[in-house]
C-alpha cells in the first residue's frame, strides 16, 4: 500500500523501516498469492497495473477496518496504543508541537508519535498521515477539520532596518517597493498580498521584496539580520519582540489572525489515540498562546 501511495519502492521501504529488498520481496509474495501482477517495474520507475489499482482501495478498507477494530479493543481495555503519524508547519512544529510529544509519550507510553515538518501542503492520504496541523487559510476538503484556535499575527522588523528605511505606519506604506517585505512562498501560496485590519475593514495590500523562502524560520532570521519586514504569527516572534530584537509596526492596522487547525480523515477521529492526542495538544497550545499573548500585550502597554 505504501508503494502505491508513495510511487516508490525505496520511499515505501524507508517509511516502513525495512530495506527495499524486503519490500520488494513482500510485494512479490503478495503477487504470487493473488496470482496477478500489482506493479510494472523498471530500473527507474514503478507503476501500478490495472489490477493493482483495483486491489488498492479494497486493501485500504481492510486495513482501516483492522485499525478501527484494534482501536475499539484498546478503548475498552483503557490501554490506547499504536502509532500516530502527524505533520505540522515548520515553525509551529518546532516550537509548539515537537516539545509536547515527549510529554504526551510519558503520559501514554504505548502510543508512538511520528512527526513530519513541512511548510508545503501535504497529501494526507498519499503520505499516510493520521492528521495534519495547518496554519493559514482553511482548505475546502472532504476530510474532517477541527479548528483549534485563531493566532494573532504581527508585522515586525529590526530596529536597524527601521532606522535605515523608516517606519511604515499603514498598509499603503508597504506597497510599490517602499519597503522590503520578506515573503513565505511555495507552490500554491498567496503571500504576495498581506491582509490588514483597517478602520474600513480588512484590506489586501500587494507587497514584495528581494528575498522569499518556503521556511518561516528563515524569514525570521532575515528580519533579525535587518533585511526587511515579516508578517509572522505572534508565537513565532514574541520572544524577539519582548527582547527588542524585533519591533512591531503598523500596529493600528494589524494583520488578520491566522487559523490553527487539524485536518484528518473522518475515520481517524474515531480512534481513541487520535482524540487523546488532539485533546492533549489543544489544551497545552491554548494555554501557551494565551500566556504569550498576555506577555506581549503587557509589553506593548508599557511601551
Amino acid at each position: 500500500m505504501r508503494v502505491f501511495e508513495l510511487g516508490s519502492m525505496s520511499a515505501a521501504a524507508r517509511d516502513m523501516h525495512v530495506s527495499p529488498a524486503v519490500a520488494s520481496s513482500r510485494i512479490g509474495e503478495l503477487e504470487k498469492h493473488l496470482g496477478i501482477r500489482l506493479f510494472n517495474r523498471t530500473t527507474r520507475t514503478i507503476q501500478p497495473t490495472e489490477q493493482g489499482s483495483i486491489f488498492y482501495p479494497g486493501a485500504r478498507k481492510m486495513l482501516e477496518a483492522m485499525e478501527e477494530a484494534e482501536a475499539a479493543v484498546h478503548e475498552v481495555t483503557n490501554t490506547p496504543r499504536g502509532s500516530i503519524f502527524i505533520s505540522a508547519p515548520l515553525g509551529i512544529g518546532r516550537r509548539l508541537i515537537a516539545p509536547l510529544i515527549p510529554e504526551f509519550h510519558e503520559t501514554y507510553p504505548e502510543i508512538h508519535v511520528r512527526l513530519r515538518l513541512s511548510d508545503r501542503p501535504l497529501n494526507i492520504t498519499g503520505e499516510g498521515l493520521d492528521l495534519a496541523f495547518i496554519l493559514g487559510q482553511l482548505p475546502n476538503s472532504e476530510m474532517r477539520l477541527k479548528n483549534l484556535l485563531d493566532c494573532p499575527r504581527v508585522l515586525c522588523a529590526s530596529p536597524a532596518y527601521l532606522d535605515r528605511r523608516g517606519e511604515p505606519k499603514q498598509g499603503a506604506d508597504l506597497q510599490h517597493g517602499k519597503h522590503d517585505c520578506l515573503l513565505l512562498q511555495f507552490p500554491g501560496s498567496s503571500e504576495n498580498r498581506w491582509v490588514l485590519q483597517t478602520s474600513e475593514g480588512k484590506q489586501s495590500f500587494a507587497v514584495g521584496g528581494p528575498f522569499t523562502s518556503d521556511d518561516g524560520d528563515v524569514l525570521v532570521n532575515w528580519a533579525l539580520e535587518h533585511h526587511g519586514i515579516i508578517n509572522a504569527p505572534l508565537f513565532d516572534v514574541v520572544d524577539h519582540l519582548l527582547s527588542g530584537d524585533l519591533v512591531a509596526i503598523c500596529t493600528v492596522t494589524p494583520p488578520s489572525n491566522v487559523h490553527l487547525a487539524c485536518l484528518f480523515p473522518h475515520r481517524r477521529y474515531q480512534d481513541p489515540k487520535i482524540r487523546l492526542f488532539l485533546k492533549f495538544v489543544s489544551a497545552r497550545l491554548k494555554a501557551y498562546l494565551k500566556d504569550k499573548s498576555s506577555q506581549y500585550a503587557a509589553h506593548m502597554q508599557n511601551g
Side-chain angles (χ1 to χ4, degrees):
M1 291 180 58
R2 295 304 287 146
V3 174
F4 186 96
E5 292 166 348
L6 298 176
S8 167
M9 185 75 71
S10 58
R14 287 194 300 270
D15 187 70
M16 300 301 295
H17 304 290
V18 299
S19 70
V22 169
S24 180
S25 175
R26 289 178 180 175
I27 289 176
E29 292 173 2
L30 180 59
E31 289 177 328
K32 183 178 179 180
H33 171 74
L34 296 171
I36 61 173
R37 179 174 289 277
L38 296 171
F39 296 95
N40 290 319
R41 305 171 181 81
T42 69
T43 55
R44 293 187 177 182
T45 64
I46 183 167
Q47 296 291 333
T49 62
E50 181 180 0
Q51 294 93 332
S53 296
I54 293 172
F55 181 76
Y56 170 79
R60 166 57 70 183
K61 289 179 181 178
M62 290 178 60
L63 180 59
E64 290 174 357
M66 291 178 61
E67 290 175 344
E68 289 174 4
E70 184 180 0
V73 170
H74 292 156
E75 186 169 25
V76 170
T77 59
N78 201 29
T79 57
R81 66 182 62 180
S83 297
I84 302 175
F85 188 15
I86 67 175
S87 73
L90 290 168
I92 190 171
R94 288 169 178 161
R95 269 179 284 283
L96 304 185
I97 305 299
L100 296 177
I101 290 176
E103 182 185 353
F104 177 78
H105 182 65
E106 288 180 6
T107 306
Y108 303 101
E110 297 299 319
I111 301 178
H112 299 165
V113 181
R114 298 167 58 199
L115 174 63
R116 174 174 294 173
L117 300 184
S118 175
D119 278 331
R120 293 174 177 270
L122 296 174
N123 182 334
I124 293 178
T125 302
E127 298 284 345
L129 293 164
D130 293 307
L131 65 89
F133 290 94
I134 55 175
L135 189 67
Q137 184 175 356
L138 303 183
N140 294 322
S141 174
E142 296 180 354
M143 296 193 178
R144 184 173 182 128
L145 181 72
K146 181 176 179 60
N147 195 11
L148 299 179
L149 65 160
D150 290 336
C151 303
R153 301 184 78 166
V154 60
L155 297 180
C156 55
S158 71
Y161 172 87
L162 298 175
D163 288 344
R164 186 174 75 249
R165 298 289 296 274
E167 181 178 343
K169 301 298 183 182
Q170 55 187 347
D173 297 337
L174 301 173
Q175 299 188 111
H176 310 302
K178 297 176 184 177
H179 279 277
D180 295 336
C181 297
L182 307 174
L183 307 181
L184 183 70
Q185 288 192 336
F186 46 81
S189 69
S190 57
E191 270 290 294
N192 60 328
R193 300 194 70 88
W194 285 350
V195 178
L196 306 184
Q197 304 175 61
T198 74
S199 58
E200 300 176 358
K202 292 182 180 179
Q203 292 189 17
S204 176
F205 297 91
V207 295
F211 309 142
T212 66
S213 176
D214 62 356
D215 185 335
D217 283 351
V218 169
L219 301 184
V220 173
N221 288 334
W222 281 342
L224 291 168
E225 294 166 359
H226 326 305
H227 295 302
I229 298 168
I230 54 173
N231 180 358
L234 179 60
F235 66 79
D236 258 350
V237 294
V238 64
D239 291 334
H240 300 304
L241 293 169
L242 296 175
S243 69
D245 292 330
L246 294 176
V247 176
I249 61 172
C250 299
T251 54
V252 296
T253 58
S256 296
N257 290 349
V258 62
H259 301 288
L260 173 62
C262 272
L263 193 66
F264 47 90
H266 282 268
R267 64 180 176 83
R268 301 306 293 160
Y269 195 64
Q270 303 306 315
D271 190 327
K273 63 179 178 289
I274 299 294
R275 296 201 304 269
L276 284 172
F277 183 76
L278 278 177
K279 182 178 179 180
F280 180 93
V281 170
S282 178
R284 280 155 179 78
L285 286 183
K286 288 178 180 179
Y288 175 85
L289 295 179
K290 181 179 179 181
D291 178 62
K292 289 298 184 181
S293 294
S294 297
Q295 292 181 42
Y296 176 67
H299 171 77
M300 294 297 291
Q301 186 175 6
N302 295 331

